[in-house]
Amino acid sequence: TKLSFPSLVQMSGDMHRIASLTTLSEVEFPNLTIISGDLSGAFSDTLLTTLSFPKLKTITGDRSMQSIVLNCQNLTQLHFPVLESLSSLEDAFGKCPLLTSLSFPKLTNITSQNAFRISSSYPSYATNTITELHFGAANQAAIEATTGYPTLWGIGAGKATVYFDL
């Protein structure tokens, strides 16, 4: 039920559905620092409760995390404690009813126009319960200046409140 990738430092190329439709409850990437490529649906439709990226600093690629945890009914924790730059988390968190809060304490750069479009127009993704997005207070100016920031206030955050409190 637990899967760990301790030797993985960089992930590139497309890795669609690498663990979807499984009974995994915890997945961790303890030393992963860069994701460049597409992880669409990588952990969708699982029994995951926790997905952890403790050293992940950069996510690149237009749709790198699209629907990564789509329909994970038990997911309560998704960790990005040192993430500094991302392209997009578009539609990443649909139908995760127990996932209500996300925090990005080190994030300073968002490169995609729709980076946080977590409330999608696609009916299969539309049910999301994210109510809080937390960012580092020291990074507020940098985030507000990035391309994807307007998406947070428009269609992106849906019902979420954005905090600069970390």
Side-chain angles (χ1 to χ4, degrees):
T1 61
K2 184 176 180 180
L3 186 59
S4 180
F5 297 90
S7 299
L8 190 60
V9 176
Q10 292 186 347
M11 190 181 296
S12 62
D14 294 345
M15 297 184 193
H16 300 282
R17 299 183 142 328
I18 60 175
S20 65
L21 300 170
T22 66
T23 58
L24 291 170
S25 62
E26 293 180 50
V27 175
E28 66 178 359
F29 295 88
N31 296 303
L32 184 65
T33 59
I34 298 171
I35 294 175
S36 58
D38 190 350
L39 291 172
S40 293
F43 302 100
S44 61
D45 296 300
T46 64
L47 298 177
L48 279 180
T49 58
T50 305
L51 181 56
S52 181
F53 299 93
K55 293 184 180 178
L56 183 63
K57 287 188 174 191
T58 305
I59 302 172
T60 63
D62 288 342
R63 302 215 181 268
S64 58
M65 302 284 268
Q66 185 173 18
S67 67
I68 187 172
V69 293
L70 178 66
N71 201 30
C72 288
Q73 300 292 313
N74 299 329
L75 188 66
T76 59
Q77 297 178 34
L78 184 56
H79 302 291
F80 296 102
V82 297
L83 185 65
E84 296 173 355
S85 178
L86 68 85
S87 59
S88 180
L89 291 171
E90 183 176 354
D91 297 327
F93 316 110
K95 290 191 174 181
C96 296
L98 301 178
L99 186 62
T100 59
S101 179
L102 295 171
S103 64
F104 302 91
K106 304 287 185 189
L107 187 65
T108 57
N109 187 31
I110 303 168
T111 60
S112 173
Q113 188 69 18
N114 296 316
F116 283 95
R117 186 187 303 180
I118 57 176
S119 185
S120 175
S121 57
Y122 296 109
S124 62
Y125 294 10
T127 305
N128 85 61
T129 55
I130 304 293
T131 58
E132 298 179 2
L133 290 170
H134 295 266
F135 297 96
N139 300 326
Q140 182 173 356
I143 291 170
E144 288 176 342
T146 62
T147 309
Y149 184 71
T151 306
L152 289 168
W153 297 108
I155 57 174
K159 299 174 190 170
T161 301
V162 178
Y163 298 94
F164 290 97
D165 60 350
L166 301 174

